[in-house]
Amino acid sequence: MPSIGPMELIVVLVIALLVVGPRKLPALGRSLGAGMREFKDGVTRSDPRPTLGEPDDEPPATTR
């Protein structure tokens, strides 16, 4: 599998500049960075749901 070199990155950036435009490119970069950061936080965040074997904080409700 070939790796992406500096020439390929330059070509992709030039095409993005032509498609999006120079004024909206920084906003697009910020939006992409925020989305990646949110995805990373969602993946690395611990699961708040209890797993099997962990006691619950609340006692079970009793019905009469």
Side-chain angles (χ1 to χ4, degrees), residues 7-60:
M7 191 61 182
E8 288 87 2
L9 288 176
I10 291 172
V11 170
V12 168
L13 289 175
V14 167
I15 291 173
L17 183 63
L18 291 174
V19 170
V20 175
R23 291 186 181 169
K24 293 191 178 190
L25 194 59
L28 180 68
R30 278 192 293 278
S31 175
L32 183 63
M36 290 173 56
R37 190 176 318 113
E38 184 177 332
F39 177 76
K40 185 189 83 158
D41 290 343
V43 169
T44 58
R45 179 179 57 191
S46 64
D47 193 8
R49 295 177 292 173
T51 60
L52 293 176
E54 286 185 10
D56 292 335
D57 291 340
E58 299 177 11

